[in-house]
Amino acid sequence: MLTTLENPEIAIDYIAEIVRLKKEMNAVILAHYYQVPEIQDLADFVGDSLELSRKAKETDADVIVFCGVHFMAETAKIFNPDKQVLLPDLDAGCSLADSCPGPLFKEFREKYPDHYSVTYINCTADVKALSDVIITSSSAEKILRNIPADKPILFAPDRNLGAYFAKKLGREMLLWQGDCIVHVAFSERRIEQLMIEHPNAVLIAHPECEEHILKRAEYIGSTSALLTYTETSPHMSFIVATEEGILHQMKKRSPNKEFIPAPPEDKGCMCNQCPYMRLNTLEKLYSCMKNRTPEIILPQDIIDKALVPLNRMLEWTKVD
Ligand code: 13P
Ligand code: SF4
């Protein structure tokens, strides 16, 4: 039982109320792995960006409550223009999406008209509307392999993810210079120290991390791939270089294994937690369902244009 911030005298059982509202509204709650544990535990589905896009496209619920960041809720809206899509906190943005404003991206595209534009899903709907195909970290390899070898590629907005796949596939790409504030905060020095203190622990990392961190990793993958790896690998201890929220699912799935969050350089900061993802709280989730706001609204022409590269991503990564 918790009280509301607006009215501390009134005690509300948020979990029970959210469950009740969900039924009343015929809503589905989708949550990313970087959400706080209490939201992950309440959600109908928890997943990575690709899985959440698939769920958003398939749902027959009337309302989608998206516990993630703005670009993820926008993606759900693009797939469901006739449904109401709610986001607990409209300020839940993303440093990658912010690094790539639509008008600048348009200029970039116009400068290289012969290039195929491959864009990470962590971008605004305007940028999606200007792209040829959207990728996520778990679908990038398959999609990039599908583009003819002689076709030059523009990759936006994550320079680290782009550089990782360029190297892995031996394919040159023109990279937009954006990055994720969480994944560039990890300290190589402190990770090294942890490896000495925990000699049996292996480092696993998300490809949004910088190359000097990735070089030391035993395994590199999207949030879902990292989760599966910790379940199936014979190792018993892991240093995890991605947002700390994923540790909740890792511990749930492998209760006997040890998970250590990779540390940022500054001991005092909580830089391995995404400040945008963490804006969503149980109270805001309850409030957005009760008041049916904040809601994601997008212009129809942007929806129509952005749907093309998003559908292409799902088509090229279809699981038969
Ligand atoms: P994935 O869940 O696709 O690995 O993306 C990670 C991320 O940074 C989402 O914001
Ligand atoms: Fe964006 Fe990074 Fe937060 Fe993901 S973790 S939403 S990429 S800032």
Side-chain angles (χ1 to χ4, degrees):
M1 198 75 81
L2 297 166
T3 55
T4 61
L5 288 179
E6 305 138 8
N7 197 342
E9 283 98 63
I10 301 173
I12 295 179
D13 182 342
Y14 288 123
I15 296 177
E17 279 300 296
I18 290 165
V19 172
R20 184 187 64 75
L21 284 167
K22 196 172 69 136
K23 210 167 159 201
E24 194 179 289
M25 300 158 75
N26 187 26
V28 64
I29 302 179
L30 303 179
H32 189 268
Y33 289 126
Y34 297 165
Q35 291 293 283
V36 289
E38 55 271 29
I39 290 184
Q40 292 190 37
D41 289 344
L42 200 62
D44 294 296
F45 182 78
V46 187
D48 73 0
S49 308
L50 182 65
E51 293 159 347
L52 289 166
S53 301
R54 285 210 180 99
K55 284 284 167 195
K57 189 178 160 105
E58 286 161 9
T59 186
D60 53 12
D62 293 325
V63 180
I64 300 173
V65 186
F66 210 108
C67 297
V69 289
H70 196 272
F71 75 81
M72 296 179 173
E74 275 187 344
T75 303
K77 183 68 183 175
I78 294 163
F79 283 128
N80 297 279
D82 299 329
K83 289 184 180 166
Q84 188 171 40
V85 177
L86 302 172
L87 177 68
D89 191 319
L90 219 45
D91 289 332
C94 169
S95 65
L96 274 169
D98 289 350
S99 78
C100 192
L104 286 186
F105 184 68
K106 190 165 180 277
E107 277 175 29
F108 184 56
R109 282 232 59 186
E110 284 166 358
K111 209 167 149 194
Y112 303 99
D114 298 336
H115 284 55
Y116 200 75
S117 163
V118 178
T119 309
Y120 195 29
I121 198 162
N122 299 34
C123 64
T124 60
D126 293 17
V127 169
K128 287 186 177 75
L130 290 163
S131 303
D132 289 315
V133 68
I134 301 301
I135 54 129
T136 66
S137 42
S138 56
S139 60
E141 185 165 342
K142 201 165 180 187
I143 290 169
L144 287 164
R145 286 189 192 280
N146 208 27
I147 300 167
D150 58 350
K151 190 80 190 156
I153 292 176
L154 289 184
F155 189 99
D158 190 347
R159 63 183 168 86
N160 291 314
L161 191 88
Y164 169 71
F165 284 109
K167 195 170 171 194
K168 185 168 187 189
L169 304 178
R171 184 152 189 179
E172 239 180 78
M173 303 195 280
L174 258 177
L175 305 179
W176 186 271
Q177 294 300 307
D179 57 36
C180 161
I181 47 167
V182 178
H183 289 88
V184 298
F186 297 120
S187 157
E188 188 177 357
R189 184 188 65 82
R190 290 191 67 205
I191 289 174
E192 250 172 33
Q193 217 173 304
L194 268 179
M195 288 169 121
I196 296 166
E197 288 161 22
H198 302 263
N200 295 324
V202 289
L203 175 68
I204 58 173
H206 194 282
E208 285 175 22
C209 292
E210 288 181 305
E211 199 191 355
H212 64 109
I213 302 289
L214 295 179
K215 266 209 309 235
R216 297 183 162 271
E218 169 93 8
Y219 182 77
I220 299 166
S222 71
T223 48
S224 279
L226 294 176
L227 185 57
T228 306
Y229 180 76
T230 57
E231 274 184 286
T232 52
S233 142
H235 295 291
M236 293 303 287
S237 179
F238 303 87
I239 299 169
V240 184
T242 190
E243 214 271 1
E244 212 189 301
I246 187 77
L247 267 70
H248 181 58
Q249 295 296 330
M250 289 176 171
K251 287 175 188 162
K252 269 173 99 169
R253 298 212 194 161
S254 307
N256 299 325
K257 294 189 177 181
E258 180 186 35
F259 299 100
I260 308 159
E265 187 55 42
D266 175 1
K267 272 192 183 158
C269 88
M270 303 291 276
C271 314
N272 52 5
Q273 296 186 354
C274 173
Y276 307 106
M277 289 275 183
R278 305 272 161 166
L279 285 176
N280 296 328
T281 60
L282 267 191
E283 181 180 352
K284 289 183 199 167
L285 172 56
Y286 160 72
S287 162
C288 92
M289 292 174 80
K290 182 168 160 264
N291 302 312
R292 292 205 177 221
T293 186
E295 179 181 0
I296 301 292
I297 308 281
L298 288 171
Q300 191 58 46
D301 64 319
I302 294 292
I303 291 183
D304 294 343
K305 287 183 193 148
L307 191 58
V308 176
L310 274 168
N311 273 337
R312 199 165 278 146
M313 167 182 79
L314 296 186
E315 183 58 29
W316 289 7
T317 55
K318 208 156 57 188
V319 266
D320 303 308

